[in-house]
Amino acid sequence: MRLIQADPNKARLDRLITHWLKRHLRRLGADIDLKQINSLVEDNAMLAENLES
């Protein structure tokens, strides 16, 4: 998160990484409601909680 927030193009970088992560988790068959996750920077607590379960 720190690296994304420090980047001058943080909004674009966050969007690209979030999109990639959601696609990767879908391919792995993760049982997570990915529709709720729109940003790693903003939704990192929710993502971590979902990944734990």
Side-chain angles (χ1 to χ4, degrees):
M1 297 307 119
R2 210 173 51 233
L3 292 173
I4 293 172
Q5 290 173 333
D7 193 279
N9 297 310
K10 61 184 163 198
R12 182 174 186 272
L13 184 60
D14 182 35
R15 190 172 55 252
L16 288 171
I17 294 173
T18 301
H19 179 72
W20 174 85
L21 182 60
K22 289 169 70 170
R23 287 182 64 201
H24 184 67
L25 290 172
R26 270 191 215 106
R27 279 191 218 135
L28 292 176
D31 188 25
I32 299 173
D33 184 9
L34 298 171
K35 294 174 189 161
Q36 296 178 357
I37 299 170
N38 297 311
S39 166
L40 292 179
V41 174
E42 294 173 12
D43 301 331
N44 64 1
M46 182 176 56
L47 179 61
E49 183 180 312
N50 283 322
L51 287 174
E52 267 186 35
S53 61

